[in-house]
Amino acid sequence: MSSSKPSKRDQPTLLPTNRKLRELIGISMRNLTIAPPSRTRGKTIDDESLPNTWRSPSKILAQRDAKQPIAHSRSSNDLRSVAARAADLSIKNAKSPAVVGGNQNTNGRARQERLEKAMASRLADVWFSLQIRGSTEPVYISEIILQTMNPTFRLFDLKSLSPDITRLGEVVVKFWAKTHLIPDYIVLLELELNLQSLQFIGKSLKDFHHPLPLNCVIFHLSDGLYTNLTNMASQGPSHSPSAKFPSEGPPSASYDTMMRLSALDDCAQDALKTHKKLASQISKILIQHRAIEGQAGESGERLAAIEMAVAAEKRRLEAALRTHNDIKSSIAARREGMAKGKAEQLQAGDYLKSAAANLAKSVSALKAKKDCLQDERRKICEVLMTIFPIAETGHTLCFEICGLSLPNSTFTTTHTNDTITGAALGFAAHLVYLLSFYLSVPLIYPIFPHLSSTLIADPVSLMPGQRTFPLYANGSIKYRFEYAVFLLNKNIECLLNSVKVKAVDIRQTLPNLKYLLYMIASGKSGMPPTNGPNDIGSVPSTSPFHRHWPLRPPPDEGMVMGDASMWDEYAPKFEGPNSKTENGRQASHVD
């Protein structure tokens, strides 16, 4: 086979009769043009019209001696008179720049502008639609490709359409376009064609070197590219029964003939299989028909069963309708509730807006209250430091309260007086008890201040027996007294944590307590002035407040650790001055 003829792999595999819409997968366009070129030429193009053509002296002399210049040929598109053409030529020569030494002065910027205008006039926004003959609604609308001369649209699949559309071989293609000079889309091209009349141009455009006309539409089918060129021979598969064989060599069947024979053999085999299948089906139908004839009596019973089933389905349908109505009424009630909730939400939103307006005022008021509360606490701490003076005894980390020395959780020396130690622990416990109220900090281990007979309870630990422990050593078990001192130190640690101070050693009872008072009494603002004897921060020195402490908090202050029942559970019972406490020891109050 010669190289000028296409190979079999470049030939179409679809017969013209099989070119249907289901095989169409894409469309593209080449050489897009909105309007055909309307420029008319005054003469033919030759070397004479080039601006930089070299002119020899002999040629210039010959042109001068020539009486009449050589006339250019005119085509059928330019049959004007010679005088009109000469007038146009003189006007054109008058407008053109002067030629000096055979070189024409050209403006590069003007040429660039003309080129850009020419390109802008050719670029357009394009899209297309596919329609069926006799229908106004399109079956497919493509995407829009902006500013292009050779649009290639996305591939598509029309097999999802109905069979009466995909089996058609005729289609109407409309191309719509607009440019910067045309603001609205116009119908650029409308083709109503039959897919059987298209010419095959190859598998791709890379191997196709034939010049394409203006606004050439290329159809992408499943076996290759097709177009409607009229000056190119068709390359479709041959359909004539007689094939031309080369003169040399023995004649042989062509590829198409062999394929047809193979298809014919397949059709014959399919026909035989279908014949056998139909024969077997007919035999089965006849056998079933004979069996049905003997079952005529059973048909009545089956009919009655079907009627009963129909009645049951009717009852089920009625129940479903009732359920539907119930659901419908429920939905209506829910919608009403949603409307009410929305109204309440709007009302709450209005309230939030009004509350947000007063938020700044509330924040400033809260800050002022906190500052006032801090000042009052400082004043109270100053008074408590006056009532319960804690001072050093001369030894390192050894302090005394109200003139009574208190060791730091060490009570094994013989120099320690148990009575003085119990009284000092009672003052310290009473101070912790009062600070818990003024700082609004609940104590983990409740304190029952009775001066030198003060008790402390442990309601959180898991232990059997009595949960109240004495803060005095006279007449009490040693380990219970030491555990009571430990609980008192834990309460002081809790108060230190409330003011964000960490205790280095909780065994230092009075140092930690003095440090707590200093931390509460210190602050950024100065000490507010007192208002006299009625002020809570000022207590006269002659007041018996430090001598007669309340055994229970006043009713208006509330309970810190639980309610009154908890207090009564852990509070000791005092019936008189001769009442006995733990181990038969009489209660002694140190004034």
Side-chain angles (χ1 to χ4, degrees):
M1 183 179 294
S2 61
S3 59
S4 60
K5 295 182 180 180
S7 60
K8 288 186 178 295
R9 69 179 63 182
D10 294 336
Q11 291 184 358
T13 57
L14 290 175
L15 296 174
T17 55
N18 291 337
R19 296 176 193 167
K20 307 295 182 181
L21 280 181
R22 62 175 177 267
E23 305 295 338
L24 183 62
I25 60 175
I27 290 178
S28 59
M29 178 180 280
R30 294 294 180 266
N31 301 331
L32 185 144
T33 303
I34 300 297
S38 59
R39 185 180 63 177
T40 57
R41 298 185 182 275
K43 60 179 181 179
T44 58
I45 298 175
D46 55 6
D47 293 343
E48 189 71 20
S49 61
L50 296 178
N52 299 325
T53 302
W54 181 77
R55 297 182 180 182
S56 62
S58 58
K59 184 176 181 180
I60 296 174
L61 183 60
Q63 289 179 351
R64 289 179 181 177
D65 296 340
K67 296 180 181 180
Q68 185 176 0
I70 300 175
H72 294 279
S73 62
R74 292 181 293 163
S75 63
S76 59
N77 294 331
D78 190 8
L79 298 178
R80 296 178 297 169
S81 62
V82 177
R85 292 175 61 248
D88 294 343
L89 185 59
S90 62
I91 294 173
K92 182 177 180 181
N93 292 334
K95 293 182 179 180
S96 62
V99 178
V100 180
N103 294 326
Q104 185 179 6
N105 295 328
T106 58
N107 191 346
R109 182 176 297 176
R111 293 176 61 189
Q112 181 67 22
E113 291 178 357
R114 288 197 299 270
L115 179 60
E116 291 178 357
K117 289 180 181 180
M119 291 296 295
S121 62
R122 295 290 300 275
L123 297 177
D125 302 342
V126 192
W127 60 278
F128 74 91
S129 62
L130 298 178
Q131 296 181 1
I132 304 302
R133 180 182 297 178
S135 176
T136 58
E137 295 294 331
V139 297
Y140 178 77
I141 298 176
S142 72
E143 74 279 6
I144 299 176
I145 299 182
L146 305 177
Q147 298 297 310
T148 181
M149 293 175 57
N150 299 313
T152 299
F153 299 93
R154 273 201 308 258
L155 300 181
F156 51 83
D157 186 8
L158 301 178
K159 294 181 181 179
S160 60
L161 301 177
S162 58
D164 57 344
I165 295 178
T166 57
R167 293 176 182 175
L168 295 177
E170 297 179 354
V171 67
V172 178
V173 184
K174 289 185 179 181
F175 284 87
W176 304 76
K178 73 173 182 178
T179 61
H180 67 286
L181 299 176
I182 305 174
D184 298 329
Y185 283 99
I186 61 172
V187 179
L188 173 65
L189 183 63
E190 182 175 357
L191 296 177
E192 184 176 354
L193 50 85
N194 194 324
L195 298 179
Q196 299 181 11
S197 63
L198 299 177
Q199 291 84 25
F200 181 77
I201 60 176
K203 298 294 183 180
S204 65
L205 291 176
K206 295 180 180 180
D207 302 330
F208 185 74
H209 305 291
H210 194 279
L212 297 174
L214 299 179
N215 296 332
C216 179
V217 182
I218 299 174
F219 296 87
H220 299 254
L221 271 68
S222 60
D223 63 335
L225 306 180
Y226 291 81
T227 186
N228 56 351
L229 297 176
T230 57
N231 56 350
M232 187 180 73
S234 175
Q235 296 182 6
S238 176
H239 306 290
S240 59
S242 61
K244 294 184 179 181
F245 300 97
S247 57
E248 64 276 10
S252 61
S254 64
Y255 176 78
D256 295 335
T257 306
M258 295 297 294
M259 292 301 294
R260 289 176 187 173
L261 289 176
S262 177
L264 183 60
D265 182 59
D266 293 340
C267 292
Q269 295 295 333
D270 291 341
L272 291 175
K273 291 181 181 178
T274 305
H275 179 267
K276 292 180 180 179
K277 187 175 181 180
L278 290 175
S280 62
Q281 289 179 356
I282 291 172
S283 300
K284 291 180 181 179
I285 291 172
L286 291 175
I287 294 172
Q288 293 176 0
H289 181 68
R290 293 193 188 98
I292 291 172
E293 288 180 353
Q295 299 176 357
E298 299 178 359
S299 299
E301 298 179 358
R302 188 176 301 173
L303 179 60
I306 291 173
E307 290 178 352
M308 292 176 62
V310 169
E313 289 296 330
K314 287 182 178 180
R315 291 192 298 270
R316 194 176 301 171
L317 177 60
E318 292 176 358
L321 289 176
R322 287 193 299 271
T323 305
H324 172 72
N325 294 332
D326 295 341
I327 294 175
K328 197 172 182 180
S329 60
S330 176
I331 291 174
R334 290 182 181 181
R335 286 179 178 174
E336 184 179 358
M338 289 173 63
K340 292 182 180 178
K342 191 173 183 180
E344 293 178 358
Q345 184 179 5
L346 294 176
Q347 185 178 1
D350 297 338
Y351 172 75
L352 287 177
K353 290 180 181 178
S354 61
N358 299 327
L359 180 61
K361 297 181 181 179
S362 300
V363 170
S364 60
L366 178 61
K367 185 177 180 181
K369 292 292 184 182
K370 287 183 178 179
D371 295 339
C372 181
L373 180 61
Q374 184 67 21
D375 293 338
E376 293 298 327
R377 285 178 176 174
R378 291 176 53 212
K379 291 159 57 177
I380 292 172
C381 287
E382 292 288 344
V383 173
L384 291 177
M385 291 173 66
T386 304
I387 297 174
F388 299 95
I390 301 175
E392 296 186 13
T393 60
H395 300 283
T396 305
L397 293 178
C398 291
F399 289 81
E400 61 181 9
I401 180 170
C402 297
L404 301 178
S405 176
L406 178 63
N408 292 322
S409 302
T410 304
F411 308 99
T412 58
T413 60
T414 57
H415 302 286
T416 303
N417 191 339
D418 293 340
T419 304
I420 296 176
T421 301
L425 286 174
F427 285 129
H430 206 141
L431 180 58
V432 172
Y433 173 76
L434 294 176
L435 285 175
S436 67
F437 288 104
Y438 297 137
L439 297 180
S440 299
V441 177
L443 296 177
I444 302 176
Y445 307 103
I447 298 175
F448 308 102
H450 300 147
L451 296 181
S452 61
S453 300
T454 302
L455 301 176
I456 188 169
D458 183 7
V460 296
S461 300
L462 297 177
M463 59 175 63
Q466 190 176 4
R467 292 177 177 268
T468 305
F469 301 89
L471 276 172
Y472 48 86
N474 291 333
S476 63
I477 302 175
K478 180 179 180 181
Y479 81 90
R480 294 181 65 83
F481 166 68
E482 292 179 352
Y483 187 69
V485 175
F486 170 74
L487 296 181
L488 176 62
N489 292 331
K490 292 298 290 184
N491 283 338
I492 296 175
E493 183 185 15
C494 180
L495 295 178
L496 286 171
N497 293 334
S498 66
V499 295
K500 299 181 180 178
V501 177
K502 185 177 181 181
V504 179
D505 187 0
I506 64 172
R507 295 176 298 177
Q508 309 293 336
T509 306
L510 290 181
N512 290 337
L513 193 55
K514 185 176 182 64
Y515 186 50
L516 174 63
L517 292 174
Y518 278 148
M519 291 301 299
I520 298 174
S522 64
K524 296 182 180 179
S525 59
M527 192 71 179
T530 59
N531 298 326
N534 295 328
D535 194 350
I536 189 174
S538 61
V539 179
S541 60
T542 59
S543 175
F545 181 79
H546 65 285
R547 296 175 57 86
H548 304 285
W549 303 106
L551 298 179
R552 295 169 62 101
D556 55 348
E557 293 184 2
M559 297 297 294
V560 177
M561 296 297 295
D563 53 3
S565 61
M566 178 181 293
W567 183 277
D568 296 335
E569 179 181 354
Y570 297 105
K573 307 301 182 180
F574 289 93
E575 298 178 355
N578 297 325
S579 60
K580 294 184 179 181
T581 58
E582 184 180 350
N583 296 334
R585 177 183 177 275
Q586 293 184 356
S588 62
H589 301 273
V590 178
D591 295 337

